């Protein structure tokens, strides 16, 4: 086993970026930042993190936050189930652990949205406990260090990598070691152009010796996304633009969107649906076709702008968005192609 910890930690202490959650690594700060960083880049996360902490500085405030405010704080980050789970976990923490995250890896794992990676990050960085935190960065670095061409999405390969991380992790600085690996993967051993000539682990890196660093890690090709046609009705009335609330479960759960049918639908069919709501409308213009990619689904959006003079009482899942309530509702980025038309 090559001793990677001393040169890696030396590099980390000299090169680590100052980050608000790194500079003040409370369990709450590490938790929220790690959840935000899943699927989102660091530069994009930082302003969200600052705003989130200013509004919700502790776990009790997160537990009590109204859902629409929470959505607004998350607007643009996507994958809203992350913030739903954050709140569910915060409520469980208030109920069972006095409003503070428990300093125990296995208890952390019982909380909604906290998996092995996040539990490992909180346990090691905030509580100094000897646990791994293996994310895509760490898998890439270890695939290269050991010239391991196993598929990193294969649980057996991940397990092998986790074992190697723990063989190297110094018992007196597990949090620094885990952070050093994440930072090293983000800044030096990057996915497409690893900076091998300036790498402090070069002498110990089997992929570098073999000249195959850029070919690793190996990943099985992703399954093709299922294509879903989506028809949007952007309905304008003297009261504003019509929004509807999505169901509380499933894709974009509980978020507000323009009136939408999740299938291909003709203008006449859409006019009939609107008339059924008491909104007799006329078509103004077609919407430009747009596309949005979710993890497993591709939405292909199209539709029309409609105008109506009708403003009947609306059921609970519909409302008019206008100048007065515009800042209260987060619009999912799946509809970003129509955002300016909706907020006009
Ligand atoms: Fe990564 Fe290159 Fe360093 Fe190996 S030598 S760890 S591939 S940056």
């Amino acid at each position: 086993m090559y001793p990677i910890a001393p040169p890696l930690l030396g590099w980390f202490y000299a090169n680590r970026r100052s980050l608000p959650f790194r500079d003040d690594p409370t369990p709450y700060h590490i938790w929220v930042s790690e959840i935000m960083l899943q699927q989102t880049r660091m530069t994009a996360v930082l302003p969200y993190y600052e705003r989130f902490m200013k509004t919700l500085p502790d776990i009790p405030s997160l537990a009590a936050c109204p859902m629409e405010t929470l959505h607004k704080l998350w607007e643009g980050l996507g994958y809203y189930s992350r913030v739903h789970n954050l709140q569910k976990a915060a409520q469980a923490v208030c109920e069972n652990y006095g409003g503070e995250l428990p300093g125990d890896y296995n208890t952390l794992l019982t909380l909604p949205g906290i998996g092995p990676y996040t539990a490992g990050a909180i346990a090691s960085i905030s509580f100094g406990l000897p646990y791994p935190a293996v994310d895509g960065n760490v898998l890439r670095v270890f695939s290269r260090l050991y010239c391991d061409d196993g598929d990193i999405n294969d649980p057996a390969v991940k397990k092998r990598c986790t074992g190697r991380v723990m063989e190297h992790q110094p018992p007196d600085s597990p949090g620094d070691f885990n952070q050093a690996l994440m930072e090293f993967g983000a800044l030096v051993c990057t996915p497409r152009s690893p900076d091998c000539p300036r790498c402090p682990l070069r002498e110990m890196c089997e992929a570098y010796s073999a000249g195959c660093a850029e070919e690793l890690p190996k990943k099985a090709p992703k399954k093709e996304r299922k294509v879903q046609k989506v028809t949007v009705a952007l309905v304008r009335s003297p009261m504003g633009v019509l929004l509807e609330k999505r169901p509380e479960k499933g894709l974009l759960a509980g978020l507000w969107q323009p009136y939408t049918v999740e299938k291909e639908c003709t203008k006449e069919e859409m006019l009939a649906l609107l008339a059924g709501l008491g909104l007799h409308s006329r078509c103004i213009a077609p919407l430009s076709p747009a596309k949005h990619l979710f993890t497993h689904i591709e939405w292909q959006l199209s539709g029309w702008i409609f105008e109506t003079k009708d403003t009947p009482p609306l059921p609970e899942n519909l409302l008019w968005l206008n100048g007065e309530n515009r800042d209260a509702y987060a619009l999912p980025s799946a509809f970003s192609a129509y955002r300016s038309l909706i907020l006009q």
Side-chain angles (χ1 to χ4, degrees), residues 1-119:
M1 183 178 75
Y2 303 111
I4 68 158
L8 180 70
L9 284 169
W11 172 88
F12 178 62
Y13 295 137
N15 295 284
R16 63 181 153 188
R17 292 169 291 181
S18 167
L19 301 168
F21 35 89
R22 183 173 286 160
D23 298 343
D24 186 12
T26 67
Y28 180 52
H29 290 170
I30 295 298
W31 176 34
V32 172
S33 63
E34 289 299 345
I35 299 293
M36 282 186 172
L37 283 164
Q38 291 167 7
Q39 328 263 4
T40 314
R41 299 174 71 85
M42 179 74 79
T43 44
V45 156
L46 289 176
Y48 281 94
Y49 175 83
E50 301 277 11
R51 200 164 51 124
F52 196 94
M53 285 303 157
K54 219 166 157 188
T55 315
L56 306 172
D58 49 32
I59 294 178
S61 57
L62 168 58
C65 182
M67 189 51 81
E68 298 307 343
T69 309
L70 214 51
H71 285 164
K72 203 66 197 164
L73 287 167
W74 210 262
E75 186 180 21
L77 278 176
Y79 300 98
Y80 284 81
S81 58
R82 292 182 292 170
V83 74
H84 296 159
N85 280 332
L86 262 180
Q87 185 171 54
K88 276 189 219 150
Q91 289 163 347
V93 167
C94 287
E95 219 170 292
N96 304 316
Y97 307 108
E100 298 289 345
L101 277 173
D104 177 74
Y105 177 82
N106 289 313
T107 312
L108 288 168
L109 278 178
T110 65
L111 295 168
I114 297 192
Y117 170 75
T118 310

Side-chain angles (χ1 to χ4, degrees), residues 141 144-145 184 188-190 194-197 199-203 205-208 213-214:
V141 171
R144 288 171 175 171
L145 285 172
F184 179 74
V188 180
C189 195
T190 57
D195 193 1
C196 303
C199 172
L201 309 183
R202 195 179 59 232
E203 304 300 321
C205 178
E206 293 181 22
Y208 178 70
E214 285 172 35

Side-chain angles (χ1 to χ4, degrees), residues 242-323:
L242 187 66
L243 290 192
E244 72 169 340
K245 192 175 191 183
R246 292 185 61 84
E248 295 296 343
K249 286 209 159 48
L251 199 64
L252 305 175
L255 287 157
W256 291 82
Q257 63 184 15
Y259 188 75
T260 296
V261 178
E262 285 181 34
K263 63 176 185 177
E264 198 162 21
C265 163
T266 65
K267 190 176 9 175
E268 289 67 34
E269 286 167 334
M270 193 57 105
L271 282 165
L273 285 170
L274 294 173
L277 297 168
L279 302 169
H280 302 278
S281 313
R282 70 185 181 100
C283 183
I284 302 292
L287 289 167
S288 311
K291 206 158 85 166
H292 182 79
L293 303 180
F294 295 98
T295 312
H296 303 296
I297 302 175
E298 172 181 326
W299 267 13
Q300 292 182 355
L301 303 106
S302 60
W304 298 272
I305 302 174
F306 296 99
E307 194 175 70
T308 180
K309 291 194 173 65
D310 298 335
T311 55
L314 295 174
E316 261 189 13
N317 67 327
L318 295 175
L319 60 79
W320 296 110
L321 185 77
N322 51 45

Side-chain angles (χ1 to χ4, degrees), residues 1 3-6 9 13 120 123-132 164-178:
M1 183 178 75
I4 68 158
L9 284 169
Y13 295 137
S124 64
I125 300 169
S126 300
F127 293 106
L129 299 171
Y131 286 95
R164 287 170 175 162
V165 169
M166 290 314 286
E167 282 172 27
H168 286 279
Q169 188 182 76
D172 55 346
S173 46
D176 282 357
F177 181 73
N178 285 344

